């Protein structure tokens, strides 16, 4: 009887610890959450998945009761406008998405004020000439392998944004590699590079080149607190069909929920940068 009682106590403690971690996120008051889905792209390749991503997030807003605004106009990047948002979502943005450095500074002030950011798929190819933004993202796009099925491994299944996802996730996508990797992010899931098709010698050589000092596992989903703000990035989501796939949609929603739970009241008095390139106050 004593052993059984101890077992129950230990089981309750484990369950309660997990509940505490997840419950911090499920307690989001969605009625007070407003997000902006920003879809402007610079010159260059534009993903055809963007309308599907927007529709998916709009549906999530309807289902969970949070407000969703969308825009492809850089003029929305003013402090006065950004004050309205709990988080900003950049779905497969690419290249320069701001028109002026004043807009970049307004975006930076939003992050410094405690704002949230969710980046999807090719977001790592955004603002490639802006050092602060690249550090906020955590990496800059370098190359991806051909679209194919490979294995995603969740290395922190207890994180709120990873709950309920397959620990070994067989997924068709583009296996993204980065450069200028910033050391701040915490990695939640990885590409299993060993599961990529290497029958093409040229592809194999490129995989080895871009994997760099990583061996078989390469970062693919991560989060970080950066310069006052809260960032969550997934490099998955190339296929339009992802945005109607229950596993991927759950993955995306839990990332949004995680960031929404991190963002408190915005405080622009904490914004200190005088230009887009003001050194970060670590």
């Amino acid at each position: 009887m004593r052993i059984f009682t101890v077992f129950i106590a230990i089981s309750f403690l484990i369950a309660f610890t997990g509940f505490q971690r997840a419950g911090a996120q499920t307690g989001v008051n969605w009625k007070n959450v407003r997000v902006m889905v920003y879809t402007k792209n610079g010159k260059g390749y534009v993903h055809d998945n963007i309308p599907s991503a927007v529709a998916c997030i709009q549906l999530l807003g309807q289902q969970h009761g949070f407000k969703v605004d969308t825009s492809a106009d850089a003029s929305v990047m003013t402090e006065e406008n950004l004050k309205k948002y709990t988080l900003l979502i950049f779905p497969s943005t690419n290249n320069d998405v701001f028109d002026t450095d004043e807009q970049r500074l307004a975006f930076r002030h939003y992050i410094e004020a405690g704002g949230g950011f969710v980046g999807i798929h090719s977001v790592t190819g955004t603002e490639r000439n802006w050092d602060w933004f690249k550090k906020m993202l955590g990496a800059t796009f370098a190359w991806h392998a051909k679209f194919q099925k490979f294995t995603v491994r969740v290395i922190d299944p207890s994180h709120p944004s990873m709950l309920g996802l397959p620990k070994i996730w067989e997924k068709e996508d583009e296996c993204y590699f980065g450069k200028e990797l910033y050391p701040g992010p915490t990695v939640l899931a990885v590409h299993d590079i060993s599961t990529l098709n290497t029958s093409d010698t040229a592809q194999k050589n490129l995989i080895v080149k871009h994997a760099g000092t990583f061996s078989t596992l390469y970062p693919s989903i991560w989060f970080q607190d950066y310069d006052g703000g809260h960032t969550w990035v997934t490099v998955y989501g190339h296929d339009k069909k992802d945005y109607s796939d229950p596993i991927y949609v759950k993955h995306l929603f839990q990332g949004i929920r995680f960031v929404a739970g991190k963002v408190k009241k915005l405080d622009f008095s904490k914004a200190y940068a005088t230009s887009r390139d003001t050194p970060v106050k670590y």
Side-chain angles (χ1 to χ4, degrees), residues 79 82 86 88 104-117 130 132-133 136 225-231 263-282:
E79 287 185 33
L82 294 180
T86 310
L88 311 178
R104 291 181 176 90
L105 183 58
F107 176 90
R108 178 169 173 173
H109 282 172
Y110 168 79
I111 295 297
E112 291 173 343
F117 180 88
W130 183 12
W132 178 92
F133 192 91
M136 183 203 71
D225 292 334
Y226 176 77
D227 205 12
H230 312 284
T231 300
V263 174
K264 308 306 179 186
K265 186 177 180 180
L266 297 177
D267 183 358
F268 277 81
S269 70
K270 295 181 178 179
Y272 64 88
T274 56
S275 77
R276 72 174 207 173
D277 295 320
T278 298
V280 174
K281 292 183 177 180
Y282 292 107

Side-chain angles (χ1 to χ4, degrees), residues 115-128:
F117 180 88
V118 167
I120 303 172
H121 191 48
S122 68
V123 69
T124 55
T126 306
E127 291 291 323
R128 304 181 197 208

Side-chain angles (χ1 to χ4, degrees), residues 197-246:
N197 183 350
T198 56
S199 59
D200 182 318
T201 302
Q203 283 278 306
K204 181 179 180 179
N205 290 340
L206 285 168
I207 289 167
V208 171
K209 172 185 174 182
H210 289 286
T213 56
F214 291 94
S215 55
T216 58
L217 304 179
Y218 195 91
S220 62
I221 303 168
W222 58 82
F223 75 94
Q224 70 166 323
D225 292 334
Y226 176 77
D227 205 12
H230 312 284
T231 300
W232 183 90
V233 172
T234 176
V235 301
Y236 301 117
H238 174 76
D239 196 330
K240 290 182 289 186
K241 293 184 291 187
D242 282 332
Y243 300 93
S244 58
D245 173 69

Side-chain angles (χ1 to χ4, degrees), residues 151-155 157-158 162 164-170 189-190:
T151 299
V152 178
R153 295 187 181 273
V154 175
I155 63 174
S158 65
M162 298 287 105
L165 297 182
K167 293 182 182 178
I168 299 175
W169 184 5
E170 303 297 335
V190 294

Side-chain angles (χ1 to χ4, degrees), residues 28-265:
V28 173
N29 186 348
W30 290 110
K31 292 187 295 184
N32 295 333
V33 173
R34 186 172 187 174
V35 310
M36 178 169 68
V37 184
Y38 186 63
T39 60
K40 180 177 171 61
N41 273 253
K43 293 180 181 179
Y45 183 78
V46 178
H47 279 76
D48 66 0
N49 63 35
I50 294 174
S52 299
V54 171
C56 172
I57 297 164
Q58 289 173 327
L59 181 58
L60 288 173
Q62 294 170 15
Q63 292 171 339
H64 297 278
F66 62 90
K67 303 176 185 67
V68 179
D69 295 338
T70 65
S71 180
D73 184 349
S75 67
V76 300
M77 294 293 167
T78 66
E79 287 185 33
E80 191 59 36
N81 187 52
L82 294 180
K83 287 177 181 178
K84 300 185 294 188
Y85 298 107
T86 310
L87 61 132
L88 311 178
I89 304 174
F90 282 37
S92 292
T93 51
N94 196 19
N95 295 310
D96 292 345
V97 299
F98 303 102
D99 293 336
T100 67
D101 281 346
E102 287 76 16
Q103 293 165 354
R104 291 181 176 90
L105 183 58
F107 176 90
R108 178 169 173 173
H109 282 172
Y110 168 79
I111 295 297
E112 291 173 343
F117 180 88
V118 167
I120 303 172
H121 191 48
S122 68
V123 69
T124 55
T126 306
E127 291 291 323
R128 304 181 197 208
N129 298 309
W130 183 12
D131 188 60
W132 178 92
F133 192 91
K134 291 185 290 186
K135 289 177 180 176
M136 183 203 71
L137 289 176
T140 305
F141 172 75
W143 177 80
H144 66 73
K146 292 178 180 178
F147 184 87
Q148 61 186 281
K149 180 175 283 188
F150 61 95
T151 299
V152 178
R153 295 187 181 273
V154 175
I155 63 174
D156 188 356
S158 65
H159 188 270
S161 67
M162 298 287 105
L163 295 177
L165 297 182
K167 293 182 182 178
I168 299 175
W169 184 5
E170 303 297 335
K171 189 174 187 331
E172 281 190 306
D173 217 307
E174 292 175 333
C175 182
Y176 266 41
F177 294 92
K179 58 185 179 180
E180 300 176 287
L181 272 66
Y182 180 66
T186 298
V187 178
L188 301 172
V190 294
H191 309 307
D192 185 338
I193 301 170
S194 69
T195 62
L196 289 170
N197 183 350
T198 56
S199 59
D200 182 318
T201 302
Q203 283 278 306
K204 181 179 180 179
N205 290 340
L206 285 168
I207 289 167
V208 171
K209 172 185 174 182
H210 289 286
T213 56
F214 291 94
S215 55
T216 58
L217 304 179
Y218 195 91
S220 62
I221 303 168
W222 58 82
F223 75 94
Q224 70 166 323
D225 292 334
Y226 176 77
D227 205 12
H230 312 284
T231 300
W232 183 90
V233 172
T234 176
V235 301
Y236 301 117
H238 174 76
D239 196 330
K240 290 182 289 186
K241 293 184 291 187
D242 282 332
Y243 300 93
S244 58
D245 173 69
I247 295 176
Y248 182 83
V249 173
K250 180 176 185 176
H251 163 58
L252 179 56
F253 171 68
Q254 291 184 162
I256 293 170
R257 186 180 68 187
F258 171 69
V259 175
K262 295 275 286 184
V263 174
K264 308 306 179 186
K265 186 177 180 180

